[in-house]
Amino acid sequence: MHFLHVRSANPDALPLIATHGWPGSLVELLNIIEPLSEDFQVVVPSIPGYGFSGPTREKGWNVERVARTWAELMSRLGYTRYGAHGSDWGSAITRELGRIDAEHAAALHVTMIGMPPQPGLEPYTEEEQRRLQHGQRYQRELFGYAAIQSTRPQTLAYALHDSPVGQLAWIVEKFRDWTDSADIPEDAVDRDQMLTNVMVYWLTGTAGSAARLYYESLAARVRPVEPSPTPTGVAVFPKDLSLSVRRFAEAANTITHWSEFDRGGHFPAMEQPDLLVADIRGFFQSLPEISRSSFRSRP
C-alpha cells in the first residue's frame, strides 16, 4: 500500500489521515498537505486499487476493509489518537474509520455525508427540498458512471486501459460536471494538476481496480447505516454533486461542526484549498479533547 507521511515541525501535532475519492488520487490532496502539516502529522494513503496502491488482484476491497486498513496503518505508524479527513469515497471511508476505530479516531472531517431523509422529518424546509432536488438530478442525469462501475467495472476497464483518450474523457467529464466552473474544468482546477491526476490512473493501470470499489461496496450500501459516535465536522461546497443536509446527517452521526461555503465543488482540495484547510484546522481546534499544543500560534 502506498502512502505519504508528512511530519509536522511541531512534535505535539495531531496525526491526521486524509483520504481522496474517485476520480481523484493522492494528487487531489497535494495542495493541502503542506499547510496542514503546520498543525498535523499528515498521512495521505492511496486507496487500495487506486494509483500506486494498485491494481488490486483480490476481491473484498470495500469501504469497511479500507477503513480497517487505515486503522492498522495508523497503529503501525505509532499513532494511538488521530483525526481523519475525507472527500467522496474518502468521506465514506473516514466515517467508517470513526465508527470501527472510535477508541483511536478522535474526530472526523468530511465534505460529503450522504444520509437519506429519515421518516418523521417532514415537512422539509425550502433549502432541504432544493438539496433533495439537486440529488435527484444527480441520480437522473449524472449517475451513469456509478451504475456501470458498480455492476460491470471489468467491462469498462478494458476500454479505459486500452485508450488514454478514453481515460482522459472518463475523468475530465467529472471535473467539468462536479466543479464550480463556468464552462470548462480549468475554470475551477489547475489543468496540470488535473492531468497529473489522470496520468496516475493511466500509468498505474488502475481504471478497473479503482472502479471495483463501487462494485465491492454496493452490497454494503443496502445495509442499515450504523450510527457513528465520533465527533464529526462537515464542510458543504455549493457545486458538489451531492449536498448534505444537517438534519438528515444528525440521525446517525455525531455532528459537532457544520460549515456552508459560497464557492467550490466536489474537489475542494483542488478548487478551494485555503477554505478547506481553514475549516479542517478550525474544526479540530474547536474540540475540547484535542490538545491546544497540537496547533501552532497564529497572530
Side-chain angles (χ1 to χ4, degrees):
M1 192 185 71
H2 172 267
F3 65 95
L4 304 179
H5 189 192
V6 182
R7 298 181 185 272
S8 174
N10 176 5
D12 297 321
L14 178 74
L16 179 74
I17 184 167
T19 310
H20 64 85
W22 185 93
S25 65
L26 67 94
V27 174
E28 179 186 345
L29 301 175
L30 290 180
N31 291 345
I32 67 173
I33 292 176
E34 183 176 355
L36 283 177
S37 70
E38 296 178 6
D39 295 300
F40 301 93
Q41 313 285 1
V42 183
V43 179
V44 182
S46 297
I47 297 172
Y50 286 67
F52 304 110
S53 283
T56 47
R57 292 180 170 83
E58 61 182 12
K59 297 179 180 180
W61 281 108
N62 57 21
V63 165
E64 181 179 352
R65 184 175 179 183
V66 176
R68 293 189 183 280
T69 302
W70 279 196
E72 179 67 18
L73 170 63
M74 298 304 276
S75 175
R76 293 193 186 192
L77 291 175
Y79 296 137
T80 58
R81 198 72 172 146
Y82 60 87
H85 162 75
S87 58
D88 191 82
W89 278 119
S91 292
I93 292 165
T94 295
R95 183 189 182 279
E96 185 70 7
L97 180 59
R99 192 184 68 80
I100 66 175
D101 197 32
E103 180 182 355
H104 304 107
L108 318 172
H109 183 276
V110 297
T111 60
M112 294 176 67
I113 191 156
M115 297 292 298
Q118 304 299 308
L121 293 180
E122 303 89 349
Y124 305 133
T125 67
E126 183 175 334
E127 176 60 18
E128 289 170 347
Q129 290 176 349
R130 185 187 73 83
R131 295 189 181 199
L132 288 171
Q133 291 169 357
H134 182 91
Q136 290 166 0
R137 175 181 178 267
Y138 165 68
Q139 293 288 337
R140 184 177 62 250
E141 301 177 18
L142 305 176
F143 190 70
Y145 77 97
I148 192 170
Q149 292 190 161
S150 59
T151 56
R152 293 293 187 270
Q154 194 62 29
T155 304
L156 175 69
Y158 293 122
L160 297 184
H161 188 72
D162 200 45
S163 171
V165 174
Q167 181 71 86
L168 180 68
W170 189 247
I171 290 180
V172 171
E173 177 193 56
K174 311 308 179 290
F175 277 87
R176 182 182 184 278
D177 289 341
W178 300 353
T179 55
D180 190 3
S181 56
D183 183 47
I184 57 176
E186 294 96 313
D187 293 336
V189 298
D190 177 76
R191 174 181 285 195
D192 284 342
Q193 189 179 14
M194 180 169 56
L195 292 176
T196 300
N197 179 71
V198 176
M199 286 296 292
V200 167
Y201 280 84
W202 172 247
L203 294 177
T204 58
T206 51
S209 56
R212 282 200 299 271
L213 181 58
Y214 287 80
Y215 180 85
E216 296 285 0
S217 300
L218 179 62
R221 291 203 300 273
V222 302
R223 297 200 303 262
V225 176
E226 296 285 343
S228 171
T230 307
T232 300
V234 181
V236 181
F237 292 85
K239 294 302 178 68
D240 207 337
L241 61 90
S242 176
L243 299 177
S244 302
V245 176
R246 181 165 189 167
R247 279 208 305 153
F248 303 169
E250 288 175 336
N253 301 277
T254 307
I255 305 296
T256 62
H257 170 95
W258 192 277
S259 296
E260 300 270 352
F261 294 99
D262 62 359
R263 59 192 183 279
H266 189 63
F267 306 93
M270 300 174 79
E271 299 179 63
Q272 299 293 338
D274 293 343
L275 291 181
L276 182 60
V277 168
D279 199 66
I280 294 171
R281 182 180 288 134
F283 166 59
F284 283 98
Q285 281 182 319
S286 71
L287 297 169
E289 61 268 35
I290 303 297
S291 170
R292 293 298 179 268
S293 65
S294 298
F295 300 89
R296 73 177 180 87
S297 300
R298 288 179 173 77

